Amino acid sequence: MTSPADPPNGAGASDSAETGGPGLRLLAVTACPTGIAHTYMAAEKLAQAAEALGHRMKVETQGSIGAENVLSDNDVSEADGIIIAADKDVDRSRFVGKKVLVVGVAEGIHHPERLIEQVSDAPVYEGREGVSAASGAGAGAGADAGAGAGGGGGRKGRGITYKALMNGVSYMIPFVVVGGLLIAVSLALGGDTTSKGIVIPDDSFWKTVNDIGTIGFQLMIPALSGYIAYAIADRPGLVPGMVGGWIAAHGELYDSEAGAGFIGAIVTGFLAGYLVQGIKKVRVPKFVQPIMPIIVIPIVATSVLGLFFIYVLGRPIAWVFENLTDWLGGLTGTSAALLGIILGLMIAFDMGGPVNKTAFLFGAGLVSKNPEVMGACAAAIPVPPLGQGLATLIRRRMFDDQERETGLAALFMGFFGITEGAIPFAAARPALVIPANMLGGAVAGAIAGLAAVEDSVPHGGPIVAVLGAVNGVPMFFVAVVVGTAVTAVATVGLMSMGAARGSGGAVLASAPASAPASAGASVVAEPVLVGGGVGSAGSAGSAAGGASAAPASAAPAAGAGSVEGQVLSGYLTEQTVKEQLSAGRKDDAIREMAELLAASGKVADAAELVRVAFAREDQGTTGLGEEIAIPHAKTDAVTAPVVGFARSAEGIEWGAPDGTKARLVFMIAVPEAAAGDEHLRILALLSRKLMVPEFRERLAGAADVGAILGVLGEIE
């Protein structure tokens, strides 16, 4: 059997890629953002399918330990087609002039034969800033997704959209945190309560700090929009995206007293990204091509998007603002609770957008005549950031590290009445977070309205009560606390429901995208397990003439094999093998596996190990298909790398993409400090070996623990 680590064989390759017959020289790249297993499973499946169909294939894996079996220039020049099966961005600049089929990594695992059949009709990739000329109608699923540079590593539809949104949110978060905290600190230490709100004297040091924070907040919306566009269209999308976000945030450009807020930024980000993608597909003379990405595309896209937003989208926004204001004016004198509910819903809806600003300015305008209206607004204003921050505390496993840190900052901003502290959560999961925010805001507004809480300054949050601007302080805090609790509980509940429905693929709790690793590459952050063992891109090496040296992962690590009841370099022992799991549900199975690992003596905190493993599941299922699940965790709850294995006769629903229940369950745990390459290479070998049906059959049928260890000892 040809391993994905093996170089191409030397004979029998066809000189032409025009037919789908045997003898094609094929290349593939596999990569996944949430671990190592999918990367190597896809590589093994593609290699097996190519061998079965009579083709030669070399597969480059971009796993947790870096790129292995790297494709050389000679490999590419001789290739008849290239398959990229990846859920993160893969640099395609080396594949210019070649037929490139781009799909998600799951396609490489579950439909390798179909991909090999489709690659002959895939588009010809003409460069990051160019266009792809389809050589046939049958490019297949995912080909279109890869036609444009920076298109998100081959995900189509929801996958591309989600990845782009996460990229924007990731870049926006520092602006929110820095701007919000600087504003909050300056208000706390330098602010005075006046009829105009909490005011900082113009000639004070804290006014300067406040101004710096305000700049951070002003850049928040353009950053969100710009990096959404960047993820879709690469660098040419950055300028139109940022300019579009700035326009969305400044309503005065389209005669609105309130900007479109973060929702407007999401709209302009996607519009800019896909507009640039469309412009890229326009064929231009060769002498114009060099200036397209740096002059023509940014100018045309920025102008078109800006004018479209100002003259087309801006008018409905201004209309909404004006009519909502008039409508609210007609509600004065009605039920205080009803008005409080409406104001709370509006405050929490877009957190700085036209709906939020309408409610706030309506309340601020009535401060002198009817302070109860501002009282309801003031109670609702802090609920979204406080509620989201509380949610990250009560169900930490549902959020990644960055979100938990943002949650702490949101709690601080909420105390000072900065509703925008919840925007990163709402932008990442709008369908889940916005309803939860609105529910809590409505409750807070209703309680404050019923209690006739008064606020004498146009500001909100607990800070106004602390500074003495609120009449009815006890009920004000009751409103804030109850509203916050409602938002937190609703957020956790909706996220749990969403994760259950979306367990077959990426879920909304996924980690935000990180900074691109190279120009134009939008890379999703590696959560939990990976992150420390990064090998060089050439670690596998490529010999002259195109014959790659075998990667380090293809050689057995020291101690691999079965040695006195130990396999996988001693990470898995007879103490960490169980013939049958008693659990019937995934959560219970993870707990049982954690107890199994504890038998090794390497688990210092079993509860923390379970928590981290749950958090990894919330980021995306570890059910890999083929009746396999590999839950894993990187945590100092373990003192050394440890691997456990157990079987389930009935199978456990793990949310695998192919719908199979997990009957073979491995659990992997490594300490934070153990980020070296050895154990990751062994796990890569494990993933590859599990793709062999005969190996899985023997593992499932092994009579006892000794027999199981004997089968696993074959992994070399």
Side-chain angles (χ1 to χ4, degrees), residues 152-205:
R155 289 191 184 201
K156 293 188 70 178
R158 178 180 177 272
I160 294 175
T161 300
Y162 179 75
K163 180 179 177 181
L165 181 60
M166 289 299 96
N167 197 59
V169 170
S170 176
Y171 281 100
M172 176 187 68
I173 285 175
F175 291 95
V176 177
V177 173
V178 171
L181 294 184
L182 287 178
I183 291 173
V185 169
S186 63
L187 290 174
L189 301 180
D192 297 324
T193 304
T194 70
S195 60
K196 296 182 180 180
I198 303 175
V199 177
I200 303 173
D202 290 336
D203 58 351
S204 71
F205 167 78

Side-chain angles (χ1 to χ4, degrees), residues 167-168 170-172 175 216-231 233-250 253 261 264-273 276 298 301-303 305-306 309 516:
N167 197 59
S170 176
Y171 281 100
M172 176 187 68
F175 291 95
F217 252 26
Q218 288 177 339
L219 292 174
M220 167 184 66
I221 299 301
L224 173 61
S225 177
Y227 282 100
I228 288 174
Y230 183 97
D234 209 347
R235 282 173 292 176
L238 188 59
V239 171
M242 284 196 165
V243 173
W246 184 272
I247 292 171
H250 290 75
L253 295 173
I266 292 174
V267 171
T268 57
F270 283 107
L271 285 177
V276 169
T302 301
S303 301
L305 177 62
F309 199 95

